[in-house]
Amino acid sequence: MASGGPNLECRMYESRYPEVDMAVMIQVKNIADMGAYVSLLEYNNIEGMILFSELSRRRIRSVNSLIRVGRTEPVMVLRVDKEKGYIDLSKRRVSEEDIAQCEERYNKSKLVHSIMRHVAETMNMDLEDLYVHIGWPLYRKYGHAFEAFKNVVNDPDTILDALTYEVKETGSDGQEVTKVVHAVTPEIKDALVKNIKRRMTPQPLKIRADIEMKCFQFDGVLHIKEAMRKAEAAGTDECPVKIKLVAPPLYVLTTQTLDKEQGISTLSKAIVACTEEIERHKGKLVVKDAPRTVSERDDKLLQDVMDKLRMNNEEKSGDEDSEEEEDTGMGDVDVENAGFHD
């Protein structure tokens, strides 16, 4: 940070220190003779210590197997000496429930902190000032500023325009008066809303199911195409269903939606419709992987497989005219020309 610039370092919460028996997120900085020195990530990296006796309920055979420099994890607060700045922590006393709650809170707080820090930097103001007038009041009102920020996505005026604070001024008569002013200026509001919408607008989930579909009857390929149409017809405007051939007899069904349960339900109905149609022609459908959410990495792996298969097919001569494939009813269906879209 350049000299004379805004101070962009600040704790995430209004309290300068955590409460005893509270789970906090730490990062291990150094391992000494008595224990490990750590930084409390939610409290502007103030220092705490975990004694070796507080690492595990079991006998310690290797400290490195329990704690390592650079590791980030939740621990329990045992003692806080605010005057001396000592914070004693325990790893062995934190429960699975504490860990889950701490991780959830920290992930929300980290996102809020990132947005607040970016706005403070953009507006050339101290981060703590932004927290004093905006962040911490939202924590008090909504339980967590993350919940308030979620509402800002759709209704910024109601959330941000309600924030005020008092300032004392000297009137024309020399008397001190208290004045209520808006905490969020139009410039800060614009910067906040843009950052919040960019970072917190819900992204659609991709739901995928993998199936195997075969039909050995005459015109089996046509029956498979019709079953694919039935699957896509089961989709809705909110959850459109797409089906794609990977390599005979493997197909994938996908949909995108903000509602995970709705997406899984829609794909399940599409599989039922597809199954009924192919079985009507004595074909068979087997679900290899039930509908579930998939990541961008999963999508990339699938695309890599499809690209590799496509290249292999292009290298083989006469694939398009293979009578054997046509007879089996499992040939390489031209999904695009059959009326299906990627």
Side-chain angles (χ1 to χ4, degrees):
M1 184 175 64
S3 177
N7 181 11
L8 300 178
E9 301 302 321
C10 183
R11 62 195 182 278
M12 297 181 183
Y13 313 126
E14 191 166 10
S15 175
R16 292 184 179 276
Y17 298 95
E19 298 294 327
V20 173
D21 293 333
M22 175 182 180
V24 295
M25 191 65 71
I26 59 92
Q27 185 174 51
V28 182
K29 292 300 182 183
N30 182 38
I31 298 177
D33 294 336
M34 297 291 292
Y37 289 97
V38 304
S39 295
L40 279 68
L41 299 179
E42 298 156 284
Y43 293 87
N44 201 24
N45 295 317
I46 58 176
E47 189 178 77
M49 186 175 191
I50 307 174
L51 295 174
F52 288 148
S53 59
E54 291 297 334
L55 284 180
S56 174
R57 296 179 184 277
R58 300 177 181 177
R59 182 180 177 183
I60 300 176
R61 295 184 177 179
S62 171
V63 171
N64 287 333
S65 66
L66 296 172
I67 196 162
R68 292 183 182 177
V69 173
R71 181 181 291 175
T72 298
E73 59 186 309
V75 296
M76 183 68 70
V77 178
L78 296 182
R79 285 173 293 276
V80 177
D81 188 329
K82 296 180 181 179
E83 292 183 2
K84 296 181 179 180
Y86 295 157
I87 302 175
D88 293 331
L89 305 161
S90 173
K91 179 177 177 177
R92 72 184 183 92
R93 304 192 195 201
V94 66
S95 67
E96 291 297 326
E97 183 181 358
D98 293 328
I99 290 173
Q101 291 177 354
C102 180
E103 288 177 341
E104 181 182 6
R105 184 193 68 237
Y106 174 68
N107 287 332
K108 290 179 178 179
S109 303
K110 186 169 64 171
L111 178 56
V112 168
H113 194 70
S114 175
I115 292 171
M116 295 283 283
R117 195 177 192 278
H118 188 268
V119 170
E121 186 175 18
T122 302
M123 303 305 298
N124 196 37
M125 62 186 297
D126 286 353
L127 178 56
E128 187 165 349
D129 289 342
L130 201 63
Y131 264 112
V132 167
H133 297 310
I134 299 173
W136 294 332
L138 291 178
Y139 269 97
R140 291 195 297 268
K141 184 173 182 179
Y142 292 89
H144 199 296
F146 179 88
E147 304 304 323
F149 279 13
K150 281 201 306 185
N151 292 331
V152 166
V153 172
N154 297 315
D155 189 10
D157 295 343
T158 299
I159 307 300
L160 299 178
D161 291 351
L163 296 173
T164 60
Y165 65 97
E166 295 181 350
V167 294
K168 296 188 182 297
E169 296 181 350
T170 302
S172 57
D173 58 357
Q175 297 295 316
E176 189 176 70
V177 295
T178 300
K179 185 179 178 181
V180 177
V181 298
H182 284 289
V184 186
T185 65
E187 295 78 16
I188 293 176
K189 180 179 178 180
D190 182 61
L192 262 176
V193 171
K194 282 182 178 177
N195 273 274
I196 290 171
K197 286 188 174 181
R198 180 172 60 86
R199 299 288 299 276
M200 298 189 66
T201 298
Q203 298 299 312
L205 296 170
K206 188 158 192 176
I207 314 294
R208 189 177 106 198
D210 300 359
I211 64 170
E212 282 188 356
M213 184 162 49
K214 304 175 183 178
C215 183
F216 295 98
Q217 299 300 304
F218 181 73
D219 286 340
V221 171
L222 296 180
H223 298 321
I224 287 176
K225 288 181 180 180
E226 185 58 32
M228 294 168 72
R229 291 191 184 94
K230 293 290 186 182
E232 292 201 333
T236 64
D237 291 339
E238 295 80 16
C239 289
V241 173
K242 299 177 183 179
I243 185 167
K244 184 186 300 184
L245 172 68
V246 179
L250 182 62
Y251 299 78
V252 293
L253 293 90
T254 59
T255 188
Q256 286 190 316
T257 177
L258 294 174
D259 187 333
K260 177 181 176 181
E261 296 304 320
Q262 183 183 29
I264 290 175
S265 174
T266 300
L267 273 197
S268 297
K269 291 176 182 176
I271 291 173
V272 170
C274 194
T275 301
E276 290 177 349
E277 178 63 24
I278 200 66
E279 287 183 349
R280 201 164 63 86
H281 297 284
K282 298 184 177 4
K284 184 178 181 181
L285 186 151
V286 177
V287 178
K288 304 301 290 184
D289 282 300
R292 77 275 185 204
T293 56
V294 291
S295 64
E296 291 183 6
R297 181 175 180 274
D298 294 325
D299 271 351
K300 186 178 185 305
L301 290 173
L302 175 63
Q303 190 60 50
D304 289 346
V305 170
M306 295 179 68
D307 290 343
K308 185 175 181 180
L309 290 169
R310 189 178 296 113
M311 289 178 63
N312 289 340
N313 285 336
E314 289 174 355
E315 290 173 0
K316 294 178 182 177
S317 60
D319 265 2
E320 294 83 356
D321 300 325
S322 172
E323 294 182 2
E324 183 180 351
E325 279 193 355
E326 186 174 351
D327 289 342
T328 63
M330 296 187 296
D332 192 355
V333 179
D334 187 347
V335 178
E336 292 183 356
N337 294 332
F340 305 108
H341 306 284
D342 290 346

